[in-house]
Amino acid sequence: MVNFYIKGMSTTNEEQERIINSFKEQGIDVIPVIDDYSNYSIKTIEPSIEKFIEENNPNNEKVNLICHSMGCNFGYLIKRRENIDINKLIFVSPEFVSTTKKEKEEIKNKYKGIDYNNESNNTKLNLHNIILHYKSLRKVMETLTDFVSCNMDTLIIYSKGDIFVNQNWVNSVGNYVEIDSNSHNPLLTNKETYEEISEYIKKPLTLAK
């Protein structure tokens, strides 16, 4: 089994290295897929990710994809291309369905004891990445109704105080883990996230392929 990580758009290379090392501490080797999103367009990124995974999986083993935020968009799209034998998908803080202003306020009020200053997102978001996010999200939305009929295991992990994750949607689609945090990337803040992913990866498939 080979594990790959597709980062979110605001994750720095330093943060990505921390994440990869944290997986190693759990006994999981993970290969980062994206270095800099500015190197890709909406037309080139999917085939580029596919090519990278194929080149870094010479024995054609089954693949686990661990994705965060915007990276979840590409994990979902790569799964639908069906050129890679994906074993399991792990989506950390997916933004497939937007949260309304009202929902954001409800989350803030419900978890008002949590500090909402998220220091992990310290990269200035650039216009290119924002456009890439919305273009990829549009492609995801074209087929998202098929999500519940995935032919493989999928786990969603999110922070209970994350105002960018539509928790009602997540709770409606099945297998998820809620982390006691407000961080949009609990991989940077909560060891529990790695423990949940490690346990999940090691479990046998529960859905027939």
Side-chain angles (χ1 to χ4, degrees), residues 42 45-46 69-74 76-77 96 129-142:
I42 193 62
I45 190 164
E46 288 177 56
S69 194
M70 181 169 78
C72 298
N73 297 356
F74 300 113
Y76 179 81
L77 294 171
F96 297 150
N129 289 359
I130 293 172
I131 292 173
L132 190 61
H133 168 69
Y134 282 106
K135 284 186 175 180
S136 62
L137 185 59
R138 188 182 305 158
K139 293 185 70 174
V140 168
M141 294 305 295
E142 291 173 357

mmCIF file with all atom_site columns, all heavy atoms in Angstrom, residues 42 45-46 69-74 76-77 96 129-142:
data_model
loop_
_atom_site.group_PDB
_atom_site.id
_atom_site.type_symbol
_atom_site.label_atom_id
_atom_site.label_alt_id
_atom_site.label_comp_id
_atom_site.label_asym_id
_atom_site.label_entity_id
_atom_site.label_seq_id
_atom_site.pdbx_PDB_ins_code
_atom_site.Cartn_x
_atom_site.Cartn_y
_atom_site.Cartn_z
_atom_site.occupancy
_atom_site.B_iso_or_equiv
_atom_site.pdbx_formal_charge
_atom_site.auth_seq_id
_atom_site.auth_comp_id
_atom_site.auth_asym_id
_atom_site.auth_atom_id
_atom_site.pdbx_PDB_model_num
ATOM 1   N N   . ILE A 1 42  ? -6.233  24.416 -13.981 1.00 0.00 ? 42  ILE A N   1
ATOM 2   C CA  . ILE A 1 42  ? -7.308  23.450 -13.799 1.00 0.00 ? 42  ILE A CA  1
ATOM 3   C C   . ILE A 1 42  ? -7.232  22.340 -14.852 1.00 0.00 ? 42  ILE A C   1
ATOM 4   O O   . ILE A 1 42  ? -7.691  21.213 -14.618 1.00 0.00 ? 42  ILE A O   1
ATOM 5   C CB  . ILE A 1 42  ? -8.701  24.156 -13.843 1.00 0.00 ? 42  ILE A CB  1
ATOM 6   C CG1 . ILE A 1 42  ? -9.794  23.200 -13.341 1.00 0.00 ? 42  ILE A CG1 1
ATOM 7   C CG2 . ILE A 1 42  ? -8.985  24.681 -15.242 1.00 0.00 ? 42  ILE A CG2 1
ATOM 8   C CD1 . ILE A 1 42  ? -9.645  22.752 -11.911 1.00 0.00 ? 42  ILE A CD1 1
ATOM 9   N N   . ILE A 1 45  ? -3.716  20.016 -13.663 1.00 0.00 ? 45  ILE A N   1
ATOM 10  C CA  . ILE A 1 45  ? -3.446  19.476 -12.329 1.00 0.00 ? 45  ILE A CA  1
ATOM 11  C C   . ILE A 1 45  ? -3.870  18.013 -12.169 1.00 0.00 ? 45  ILE A C   1
ATOM 12  O O   . ILE A 1 45  ? -3.125  17.218 -11.577 1.00 0.00 ? 45  ILE A O   1
ATOM 13  C CB  . ILE A 1 45  ? -4.073  20.360 -11.235 1.00 0.00 ? 45  ILE A CB  1
ATOM 14  C CG1 . ILE A 1 45  ? -3.565  19.908 -9.850  1.00 0.00 ? 45  ILE A CG1 1
ATOM 15  C CG2 . ILE A 1 45  ? -5.614  20.367 -11.304 1.00 0.00 ? 45  ILE A CG2 1
ATOM 16  C CD1 . ILE A 1 45  ? -3.800  20.909 -8.749  1.00 0.00 ? 45  ILE A CD1 1
ATOM 17  N N   . GLU A 1 46  ? -5.016  17.618 -12.691 1.00 0.00 ? 46  GLU A N   1
ATOM 18  C CA  . GLU A 1 46  ? -5.431  16.222 -12.526 1.00 0.00 ? 46  GLU A CA  1
ATOM 19  C C   . GLU A 1 46  ? -4.483  15.248 -13.218 1.00 0.00 ? 46  GLU A C   1
ATOM 20  O O   . GLU A 1 46  ? -4.013  14.292 -12.588 1.00 0.00 ? 46  GLU A O   1
ATOM 21  C CB  . GLU A 1 46  ? -6.867  16.032 -13.008 1.00 0.00 ? 46  GLU A CB  1
ATOM 22  C CG  . GLU A 1 46  ? -7.910  16.646 -12.088 1.00 0.00 ? 46  GLU A CG  1
ATOM 23  C CD  . GLU A 1 46  ? -9.306  16.478 -12.652 1.00 0.00 ? 46  GLU A CD  1
ATOM 24  O OE1 . GLU A 1 46  ? -9.692  15.316 -12.918 1.00 0.00 ? 46  GLU A OE1 1
ATOM 25  O OE2 . GLU A 1 46  ? -9.997  17.488 -12.834 1.00 0.00 ? 46  GLU A OE2 1
ATOM 26  N N   . SER A 1 69  ? -8.565  20.023 2.724   1.00 0.00 ? 69  SER A N   1
ATOM 27  C CA  . SER A 1 69  ? -9.192  21.236 2.200   1.00 0.00 ? 69  SER A CA  1
ATOM 28  C C   . SER A 1 69  ? -9.285  21.196 0.674   1.00 0.00 ? 69  SER A C   1
ATOM 29  O O   . SER A 1 69  ? -9.935  20.315 0.128   1.00 0.00 ? 69  SER A O   1
ATOM 30  C CB  . SER A 1 69  ? -8.405  22.457 2.698   1.00 0.00 ? 69  SER A CB  1
ATOM 31  O OG  . SER A 1 69  ? -9.133  23.644 2.504   1.00 0.00 ? 69  SER A OG  1
ATOM 32  N N   . MET A 1 70  ? -8.651  22.134 -0.036  1.00 0.00 ? 70  MET A N   1
ATOM 33  C CA  . MET A 1 70  ? -8.733  22.114 -1.492  1.00 0.00 ? 70  MET A CA  1
ATOM 34  C C   . MET A 1 70  ? -8.178  20.813 -2.061  1.00 0.00 ? 70  MET A C   1
ATOM 35  O O   . MET A 1 70  ? -8.620  20.345 -3.115  1.00 0.00 ? 70  MET A O   1
ATOM 36  C CB  . MET A 1 70  ? -7.989  23.299 -2.106  1.00 0.00 ? 70  MET A CB  1
ATOM 37  C CG  . MET A 1 70  ? -8.052  23.337 -3.625  1.00 0.00 ? 70  MET A CG  1
ATOM 38  S SD  . MET A 1 70  ? -7.471  24.872 -4.360  1.00 0.00 ? 70  MET A SD  1
ATOM 39  C CE  . MET A 1 70  ? -5.690  24.662 -4.264  1.00 0.00 ? 70  MET A CE  1
ATOM 40  N N   . GLY A 1 71  ? -7.223  20.201 -1.369  1.00 0.00 ? 71  GLY A N   1
ATOM 41  C CA  . GLY A 1 71  ? -6.689  18.925 -1.825  1.00 0.00 ? 71  GLY A CA  1
ATOM 42  C C   . GLY A 1 71  ? -7.755  17.850 -1.915  1.00 0.00 ? 71  GLY A C   1
ATOM 43  O O   . GLY A 1 71  ? -7.639  16.913 -2.715  1.00 0.00 ? 71  GLY A O   1
ATOM 44  N N   . CYS A 1 72  ? -8.816  17.974 -1.094  1.00 0.00 ? 72  CYS A N   1
ATOM 45  C CA  . CYS A 1 72  ? -9.931  17.023 -1.154  1.00 0.00 ? 72  CYS A CA  1
ATOM 46  C C   . CYS A 1 72  ? -10.617 17.080 -2.515  1.00 0.00 ? 72  CYS A C   1
ATOM 47  O O   . CYS A 1 72  ? -11.087 16.051 -3.023  1.00 0.00 ? 72  CYS A O   1
ATOM 48  C CB  . CYS A 1 72  ? -10.944 17.310 -0.048  1.00 0.00 ? 72  CYS A CB  1
ATOM 49  S SG  . CYS A 1 72  ? -10.296 17.147 1.624   1.00 0.00 ? 72  CYS A SG  1
ATOM 50  N N   . ASN A 1 73  ? -10.691 18.280 -3.097  1.00 0.00 ? 73  ASN A N   1
ATOM 51  C CA  . ASN A 1 73  ? -11.293 18.412 -4.428  1.00 0.00 ? 73  ASN A CA  1
ATOM 52  C C   . ASN A 1 73  ? -10.578 17.509 -5.419  1.00 0.00 ? 73  ASN A C   1
ATOM 53  O O   . ASN A 1 73  ? -11.199 16.780 -6.199  1.00 0.00 ? 73  ASN A O   1
ATOM 54  C CB  . ASN A 1 73  ? -11.207 19.859 -4.916  1.00 0.00 ? 73  ASN A CB  1
ATOM 55  C CG  . ASN A 1 73  ? -11.974 20.833 -4.046  1.00 0.00 ? 73  ASN A CG  1
ATOM 56  O OD1 . ASN A 1 73  ? -12.645 20.435 -3.090  1.00 0.00 ? 73  ASN A OD1 1
ATOM 57  N ND2 . ASN A 1 73  ? -11.878 22.107 -4.345  1.00 0.00 ? 73  ASN A ND2 1
ATOM 58  N N   . PHE A 1 74  ? -9.244  17.565 -5.385  1.00 0.00 ? 74  PHE A N   1
ATOM 59  C CA  . PHE A 1 74  ? -8.460  16.809 -6.360  1.00 0.00 ? 74  PHE A CA  1
ATOM 60  C C   . PHE A 1 74  ? -8.437  15.320 -6.027  1.00 0.00 ? 74  PHE A C   1
ATOM 61  O O   . PHE A 1 74  ? -8.407  14.482 -6.924  1.00 0.00 ? 74  PHE A O   1
ATOM 62  C CB  . PHE A 1 74  ? -7.054  17.400 -6.459  1.00 0.00 ? 74  PHE A CB  1
ATOM 63  C CG  . PHE A 1 74  ? -7.082  18.833 -6.884  1.00 0.00 ? 74  PHE A CG  1
ATOM 64  C CD1 . PHE A 1 74  ? -6.685  19.835 -6.019  1.00 0.00 ? 74  PHE A CD1 1
ATOM 65  C CD2 . PHE A 1 74  ? -7.550  19.190 -8.139  1.00 0.00 ? 74  PHE A CD2 1
ATOM 66  C CE1 . PHE A 1 74  ? -6.746  21.162 -6.393  1.00 0.00 ? 74  PHE A CE1 1
ATOM 67  C CE2 . PHE A 1 74  ? -7.619  20.523 -8.530  1.00 0.00 ? 74  PHE A CE2 1
ATOM 68  C CZ  . PHE A 1 74  ? -7.213  21.510 -7.651  1.00 0.00 ? 74  PHE A CZ  1
ATOM 69  N N   . TYR A 1 76  ? -10.969 13.715 -4.771  1.00 0.00 ? 76  TYR A N   1
ATOM 70  C CA  . TYR A 1 76  ? -12.267 13.253 -5.266  1.00 0.00 ? 76  TYR A CA  1
ATOM 71  C C   . TYR A 1 76  ? -12.259 13.118 -6.794  1.00 0.00 ? 76  TYR A C   1
ATOM 72  O O   . TYR A 1 76  ? -12.738 12.126 -7.351  1.00 0.00 ? 76  TYR A O   1
ATOM 73  C CB  . TYR A 1 76  ? -13.349 14.228 -4.838  1.00 0.00 ? 76  TYR A CB  1
ATOM 74  C CG  . TYR A 1 76  ? -14.737 13.858 -5.309  1.00 0.00 ? 76  TYR A CG  1
ATOM 75  C CD1 . TYR A 1 76  ? -15.491 12.911 -4.634  1.00 0.00 ? 76  TYR A CD1 1
ATOM 76  C CD2 . TYR A 1 76  ? -15.289 14.455 -6.445  1.00 0.00 ? 76  TYR A CD2 1
ATOM 77  C CE1 . TYR A 1 76  ? -16.755 12.563 -5.069  1.00 0.00 ? 76  TYR A CE1 1
ATOM 78  C CE2 . TYR A 1 76  ? -16.554 14.116 -6.886  1.00 0.00 ? 76  TYR A CE2 1
ATOM 79  C CZ  . TYR A 1 76  ? -17.289 13.162 -6.205  1.00 0.00 ? 76  TYR A CZ  1
ATOM 80  O OH  . TYR A 1 76  ? -18.543 12.818 -6.643  1.00 0.00 ? 76  TYR A OH  1
ATOM 81  N N   . LEU A 1 77  ? -11.683 14.111 -7.476  1.00 0.00 ? 77  LEU A N   1
ATOM 82  C CA  . LEU A 1 77  ? -11.640 14.085 -8.939  1.00 0.00 ? 77  LEU A CA  1
ATOM 83  C C   . LEU A 1 77  ? -10.742 12.975 -9.452  1.00 0.00 ? 77  LEU A C   1
ATOM 84  O O   . LEU A 1 77  ? -11.048 12.335 -10.459 1.00 0.00 ? 77  LEU A O   1
ATOM 85  C CB  . LEU A 1 77  ? -11.179 15.445 -9.474  1.00 0.00 ? 77  LEU A CB  1
ATOM 86  C CG  . LEU A 1 77  ? -12.150 16.606 -9.224  1.00 0.00 ? 77  LEU A CG  1
ATOM 87  C CD1 . LEU A 1 77  ? -11.499 17.941 -9.588  1.00 0.00 ? 77  LEU A CD1 1
ATOM 88  C CD2 . LEU A 1 77  ? -13.447 16.417 -10.007 1.00 0.00 ? 77  LEU A CD2 1
ATOM 89  N N   . PHE A 1 96  ? -16.588 20.753 0.202   1.00 0.00 ? 96  PHE A N   1
ATOM 90  C CA  . PHE A 1 96  ? -17.427 20.454 -0.951  1.00 0.00 ? 96  PHE A CA  1
ATOM 91  C C   . PHE A 1 96  ? -18.723 21.261 -0.929  1.00 0.00 ? 96  PHE A C   1
ATOM 92  O O   . PHE A 1 96  ? -19.210 21.710 -1.957  1.00 0.00 ? 96  PHE A O   1
ATOM 93  C CB  . PHE A 1 96  ? -17.768 18.965 -0.996  1.00 0.00 ? 96  PHE A CB  1
ATOM 94  C CG  . PHE A 1 96  ? -16.577 18.060 -1.155  1.00 0.00 ? 96  PHE A CG  1
ATOM 95  C CD1 . PHE A 1 96  ? -16.582 16.787 -0.620  1.00 0.00 ? 96  PHE A CD1 1
ATOM 96  C CD2 . PHE A 1 96  ? -15.448 18.477 -1.847  1.00 0.00 ? 96  PHE A CD2 1
ATOM 97  C CE1 . PHE A 1 96  ? -15.490 15.938 -0.769  1.00 0.00 ? 96  PHE A CE1 1
ATOM 98  C CE2 . PHE A 1 96  ? -14.354 17.648 -2.009  1.00 0.00 ? 96  PHE A CE2 1
ATOM 99  C CZ  . PHE A 1 96  ? -14.373 16.376 -1.462  1.00 0.00 ? 96  PHE A CZ  1
ATOM 100 N N   . ASN A 1 129 ? -4.520  30.526 -6.696  1.00 0.00 ? 129 ASN A N   1
ATOM 101 C CA  . ASN A 1 129 ? -4.982  29.380 -5.912  1.00 0.00 ? 129 ASN A CA  1
ATOM 102 C C   . ASN A 1 129 ? -6.466  29.446 -5.602  1.00 0.00 ? 129 ASN A C   1
ATOM 103 O O   . ASN A 1 129 ? -7.158  28.428 -5.581  1.00 0.00 ? 129 ASN A O   1
ATOM 104 C CB  . ASN A 1 129 ? -4.189  29.282 -4.613  1.00 0.00 ? 129 ASN A CB  1
ATOM 105 C CG  . ASN A 1 129 ? -2.750  28.846 -4.836  1.00 0.00 ? 129 ASN A CG  1
ATOM 106 O OD1 . ASN A 1 129 ? -2.343  28.598 -5.972  1.00 0.00 ? 129 ASN A OD1 1
ATOM 107 N ND2 . ASN A 1 129 ? -1.989  28.757 -3.774  1.00 0.00 ? 129 ASN A ND2 1
ATOM 108 N N   . ILE A 1 130 ? -6.955  30.664 -5.354  1.00 0.00 ? 130 ILE A N   1
ATOM 109 C CA  . ILE A 1 130 ? -8.387  30.834 -5.086  1.00 0.00 ? 130 ILE A CA  1
ATOM 110 C C   . ILE A 1 130 ? -9.207  30.450 -6.313  1.00 0.00 ? 130 ILE A C   1
ATOM 111 O O   . ILE A 1 130 ? -10.221 29.734 -6.218  1.00 0.00 ? 130 ILE A O   1
ATOM 112 C CB  . ILE A 1 130 ? -8.691  32.280 -4.656  1.00 0.00 ? 130 ILE A CB  1
ATOM 113 C CG1 . ILE A 1 130 ? -8.049  32.555 -3.286  1.00 0.00 ? 130 ILE A CG1 1
ATOM 114 C CG2 . ILE A 1 130 ? -10.197 32.524 -4.598  1.00 0.00 ? 130 ILE A CG2 1
ATOM 115 C CD1 . ILE A 1 130 ? -8.116  34.003 -2.853  1.00 0.00 ? 130 ILE A CD1 1
ATOM 116 N N   . ILE A 1 131 ? -8.754  30.887 -7.482  1.00 0.00 ? 131 ILE A N   1
ATOM 117 C CA  . ILE A 1 131 ? -9.451  30.532 -8.728  1.00 0.00 ? 131 ILE A CA  1
ATOM 118 C C   . ILE A 1 131 ? -9.394  29.030 -8.959  1.00 0.00 ? 131 ILE A C   1
ATOM 119 O O   . ILE A 1 131 ? -10.392 28.398 -9.345  1.00 0.00 ? 131 ILE A O   1
ATOM 120 C CB  . ILE A 1 131 ? -8.828  31.285 -9.923  1.00 0.00 ? 131 ILE A CB  1
ATOM 121 C CG1 . ILE A 1 131 ? -9.130  32.787 -9.812  1.00 0.00 ? 131 ILE A CG1 1
ATOM 122 C CG2 . ILE A 1 131 ? -9.363  30.737 -11.253 1.00 0.00 ? 131 ILE A CG2 1
ATOM 123 C CD1 . ILE A 1 131 ? -8.427  33.641 -10.838 1.00 0.00 ? 131 ILE A CD1 1
ATOM 124 N N   . LEU A 1 132 ? -8.228  28.425 -8.692  1.00 0.00 ? 132 LEU A N   1
ATOM 125 C CA  . LEU A 1 132 ? -8.076  26.979 -8.848  1.00 0.00 ? 132 LEU A CA  1
ATOM 126 C C   . LEU A 1 132 ? -9.035  26.232 -7.921  1.00 0.00 ? 132 LEU A C   1
ATOM 127 O O   . LEU A 1 132 ? -9.639  25.227 -8.304  1.00 0.00 ? 132 LEU A O   1
ATOM 128 C CB  . LEU A 1 132 ? -6.632  26.579 -8.547  1.00 0.00 ? 132 LEU A CB  1
ATOM 129 C CG  . LEU A 1 132 ? -6.211  25.140 -8.871  1.00 0.00 ? 132 LEU A CG  1
ATOM 130 C CD1 . LEU A 1 132 ? -6.351  24.860 -10.366 1.00 0.00 ? 132 LEU A CD1 1
ATOM 131 C CD2 . LEU A 1 132 ? -4.778  24.901 -8.417  1.00 0.00 ? 132 LEU A CD2 1
ATOM 132 N N   . HIS A 1 133 ? -9.184  26.744 -6.708  1.00 0.00 ? 133 HIS A N   1
ATOM 133 C CA  . HIS A 1 133 ? -10.103 26.129 -5.746  1.00 0.00 ? 133 HIS A CA  1
ATOM 134 C C   . HIS A 1 133 ? -11.532 26.135 -6.283  1.00 0.00 ? 133 HIS A C   1
ATOM 135 O O   . HIS A 1 133 ? -12.203 25.089 -6.287  1.00 0.00 ? 133 HIS A O   1
ATOM 136 C CB  . HIS A 1 133 ? -10.049 26.868 -4.415  1.00 0.00 ? 133 HIS A CB  1
ATOM 137 C CG  . HIS A 1 133 ? -11.151 26.494 -3.476  1.00 0.00 ? 133 HIS A CG  1
ATOM 138 N ND1 . HIS A 1 133 ? -11.232 25.252 -2.879  1.00 0.00 ? 133 HIS A ND1 1
ATOM 139 C CD2 . HIS A 1 133 ? -12.235 27.192 -3.039  1.00 0.00 ? 133 HIS A CD2 1
ATOM 140 C CE1 . HIS A 1 133 ? -12.315 25.208 -2.122  1.00 0.00 ? 133 HIS A CE1 1
ATOM 141 N NE2 . HIS A 1 133 ? -12.935 26.369 -2.200  1.00 0.00 ? 133 HIS A NE2 1
ATOM 142 N N   . TYR A 1 134 ? -11.995 27.285 -6.753  1.00 0.00 ? 134 TYR A N   1
ATOM 143 C CA  . TYR A 1 134 ? -13.384 27.376 -7.189  1.00 0.00 ? 134 TYR A CA  1
ATOM 144 C C   . TYR A 1 134 ? -13.642 26.629 -8.494  1.00 0.00 ? 134 TYR A C   1
ATOM 145 O O   . TYR A 1 134 ? -14.718 26.045 -8.684  1.00 0.00 ? 134 TYR A O   1
ATOM 146 C CB  . TYR A 1 134 ? -13.813 28.835 -7.295  1.00 0.00 ? 134 TYR A CB  1
ATOM 147 C CG  . TYR A 1 134 ? -14.111 29.437 -5.938  1.00 0.00 ? 134 TYR A CG  1
ATOM 148 C CD1 . TYR A 1 134 ? -13.243 30.343 -5.341  1.00 0.00 ? 134 TYR A CD1 1
ATOM 149 C CD2 . TYR A 1 134 ? -15.245 29.046 -5.225  1.00 0.00 ? 134 TYR A CD2 1
ATOM 150 C CE1 . TYR A 1 134 ? -13.509 30.855 -4.081  1.00 0.00 ? 134 TYR A CE1 1
ATOM 151 C CE2 . TYR A 1 134 ? -15.508 29.561 -3.967  1.00 0.00 ? 134 TYR A CE2 1
ATOM 152 C CZ  . TYR A 1 134 ? -14.640 30.459 -3.402  1.00 0.00 ? 134 TYR A CZ  1
ATOM 153 O OH  . TYR A 1 134 ? -14.894 30.960 -2.145  1.00 0.00 ? 134 TYR A OH  1
ATOM 154 N N   . LYS A 1 135 ? -12.657 26.586 -9.374  1.00 0.00 ? 135 LYS A N   1
ATOM 155 C CA  . LYS A 1 135 ? -12.827 25.819 -10.607 1.00 0.00 ? 135 LYS A CA  1
ATOM 156 C C   . LYS A 1 135 ? -12.867 24.326 -10.322 1.00 0.00 ? 135 LYS A C   1
ATOM 157 O O   . LYS A 1 135 ? -13.666 23.590 -10.913 1.00 0.00 ? 135 LYS A O   1
ATOM 158 C CB  . LYS A 1 135 ? -11.692 26.145 -11.591 1.00 0.00 ? 135 LYS A CB  1
ATOM 159 C CG  . LYS A 1 135 ? -11.830 27.487 -12.276 1.00 0.00 ? 135 LYS A CG  1
ATOM 160 C CD  . LYS A 1 135 ? -10.762 27.689 -13.339 1.00 0.00 ? 135 LYS A CD  1
ATOM 161 C CE  . LYS A 1 135 ? -10.998 28.988 -14.096 1.00 0.00 ? 135 LYS A CE  1
ATOM 162 N NZ  . LYS A 1 135 ? -9.964  29.197 -15.148 1.00 0.00 ? 135 LYS A NZ  1
ATOM 163 N N   . SER A 1 136 ? -12.014 23.871 -9.407  1.00 0.00 ? 136 SER A N   1
ATOM 164 C CA  . SER A 1 136 ? -12.027 22.445 -9.064  1.00 0.00 ? 136 SER A CA  1
ATOM 165 C C   . SER A 1 136 ? -13.295 22.094 -8.300  1.00 0.00 ? 136 SER A C   1
ATOM 166 O O   . SER A 1 136 ? -13.869 21.014 -8.482  1.00 0.00 ? 136 SER A O   1
ATOM 167 C CB  . SER A 1 136 ? -10.784 22.080 -8.250  1.00 0.00 ? 136 SER A CB  1
ATOM 168 O OG  . SER A 1 136 ? -10.738 22.785 -7.021  1.00 0.00 ? 136 SER A OG  1
ATOM 169 N N   . LEU A 1 137 ? -13.743 23.007 -7.445  1.00 0.00 ? 137 LEU A N   1
ATOM 170 C CA  . LEU A 1 137 ? -14.977 22.764 -6.690  1.00 0.00 ? 137 LEU A CA  1
ATOM 171 C C   . LEU A 1 137 ? -16.170 22.658 -7.629  1.00 0.00 ? 137 LEU A C   1
ATOM 172 O O   . LEU A 1 137 ? -17.063 21.822 -7.423  1.00 0.00 ? 137 LEU A O   1
ATOM 173 C CB  . LEU A 1 137 ? -15.197 23.894 -5.679  1.00 0.00 ? 137 LEU A CB  1
ATOM 174 C CG  . LEU A 1 137 ? -16.380 23.730 -4.732  1.00 0.00 ? 137 LEU A CG  1
ATOM 175 C CD1 . LEU A 1 137 ? -16.245 22.461 -3.898  1.00 0.00 ? 137 LEU A CD1 1
ATOM 176 C CD2 . LEU A 1 137 ? -16.482 24.950 -3.810  1.00 0.00 ? 137 LEU A CD2 1
ATOM 177 N N   . ARG A 1 138 ? -16.176 23.470 -8.674  1.00 0.00 ? 138 ARG A N   1
ATOM 178 C CA  . ARG A 1 138 ? -17.260 23.398 -9.661  1.00 0.00 ? 138 ARG A CA  1
ATOM 179 C C   . ARG A 1 138 ? -17.299 22.019 -10.313 1.00 0.00 ? 138 ARG A C   1
ATOM 180 O O   . ARG A 1 138 ? -18.373 21.441 -10.529 1.00 0.00 ? 138 ARG A O   1
ATOM 181 C CB  . ARG A 1 138 ? -17.055 24.480 -10.730 1.00 0.00 ? 138 ARG A CB  1
ATOM 182 C CG  . ARG A 1 138 ? -18.227 24.612 -11.707 1.00 0.00 ? 138 ARG A CG  1
ATOM 183 C CD  . ARG A 1 138 ? -17.920 25.669 -12.744 1.00 0.00 ? 138 ARG A CD  1
ATOM 184 N NE  . ARG A 1 138 ? -17.575 26.938 -12.116 1.00 0.00 ? 138 ARG A NE  1
ATOM 185 C CZ  . ARG A 1 138 ? -16.866 27.905 -12.725 1.00 0.00 ? 138 ARG A CZ  1
ATOM 186 N NH1 . ARG A 1 138 ? -16.427 27.711 -13.957 1.00 0.00 ? 138 ARG A NH1 1
ATOM 187 N NH2 . ARG A 1 138 ? -16.610 29.023 -12.100 1.00 0.00 ? 138 ARG A NH2 1
ATOM 188 N N   . LYS A 1 139 ? -16.120 21.459 -10.619 1.00 0.00 ? 139 LYS A N   1
ATOM 189 C CA  . LYS A 1 139 ? -16.067 20.121 -11.214 1.00 0.00 ? 139 LYS A CA  1
ATOM 190 C C   . LYS A 1 139 ? -16.552 19.066 -10.223 1.00 0.00 ? 139 LYS A C   1
ATOM 191 O O   . LYS A 1 139 ? -17.241 18.118 -10.599 1.00 0.00 ? 139 LYS A O   1
ATOM 192 C CB  . LYS A 1 139 ? -14.636 19.806 -11.657 1.00 0.00 ? 139 LYS A CB  1
ATOM 193 C CG  . LYS A 1 139 ? -14.134 20.660 -12.806 1.00 0.00 ? 139 LYS A CG  1
ATOM 194 C CD  . LYS A 1 139 ? -12.767 20.216 -13.285 1.00 0.00 ? 139 LYS A CD  1
ATOM 195 C CE  . LYS A 1 139 ? -12.833 18.884 -13.998 1.00 0.00 ? 139 LYS A CE  1
ATOM 196 N NZ  . LYS A 1 139 ? -11.525 18.496 -14.590 1.00 0.00 ? 139 LYS A NZ  1
ATOM 197 N N   . VAL A 1 140 ? -16.193 19.239 -8.949  1.00 0.00 ? 140 VAL A N   1
ATOM 198 C CA  . VAL A 1 140 ? -16.652 18.306 -7.920  1.00 0.00 ? 140 VAL A CA  1
ATOM 199 C C   . VAL A 1 140 ? -18.169 18.338 -7.817  1.00 0.00 ? 140 VAL A C   1
ATOM 200 O O   . VAL A 1 140 ? -18.831 17.290 -7.742  1.00 0.00 ? 140 VAL A O   1
ATOM 201 C CB  . VAL A 1 140 ? -16.014 18.649 -6.557  1.00 0.00 ? 140 VAL A CB  1
ATOM 202 C CG1 . VAL A 1 140 ? -16.700 17.871 -5.433  1.00 0.00 ? 140 VAL A CG1 1
ATOM 203 C CG2 . VAL A 1 140 ? -14.524 18.351 -6.561  1.00 0.00 ? 140 VAL A CG2 1
ATOM 204 N N   . MET A 1 141 ? -18.740 19.539 -7.813  1.00 0.00 ? 141 MET A N   1
ATOM 205 C CA  . MET A 1 141 ? -20.178 19.696 -7.616  1.00 0.00 ? 141 MET A CA  1
ATOM 206 C C   . MET A 1 141 ? -20.996 19.055 -8.729  1.00 0.00 ? 141 MET A C   1
ATOM 207 O O   . MET A 1 141 ? -22.149 18.699 -8.531  1.00 0.00 ? 141 MET A O   1
ATOM 208 C CB  . MET A 1 141 ? -20.535 21.180 -7.497  1.00 0.00 ? 141 MET A CB  1
ATOM 209 C CG  . MET A 1 141 ? -19.976 21.856 -6.257  1.00 0.00 ? 141 MET A CG  1
ATOM 210 S SD  . MET A 1 141 ? -20.461 21.016 -4.728  1.00 0.00 ? 141 MET A SD  1
ATOM 211 C CE  . MET A 1 141 ? -22.236 21.275 -4.770  1.00 0.00 ? 141 MET A CE  1
ATOM 212 N N   . GLU A 1 142 ? -20.398 18.883 -9.903  1.00 0.00 ? 142 GLU A N   1
ATOM 213 C CA  . GLU A 1 142 ? -21.107 18.269 -11.025 1.00 0.00 ? 142 GLU A CA  1
ATOM 214 C C   . GLU A 1 142 ? -21.460 16.804 -10.744 1.00 0.00 ? 142 GLU A C   1
ATOM 215 O O   . GLU A 1 142 ? -22.395 16.254 -11.319 1.00 0.00 ? 142 GLU A O   1
ATOM 216 C CB  . GLU A 1 142 ? -20.250 18.357 -12.300 1.00 0.00 ? 142 GLU A CB  1
ATOM 217 C CG  . GLU A 1 142 ? -20.100 19.777 -12.838 1.00 0.00 ? 142 GLU A CG  1
ATOM 218 C CD  . GLU A 1 142 ? -19.111 19.857 -13.988 1.00 0.00 ? 142 GLU A CD  1
ATOM 219 O OE1 . GLU A 1 142 ? -18.497 18.814 -14.321 1.00 0.00 ? 142 GLU A OE1 1
ATOM 220 O OE2 . GLU A 1 142 ? -18.936 20.957 -14.542 1.00 0.00 ? 142 GLU A OE2 1
#
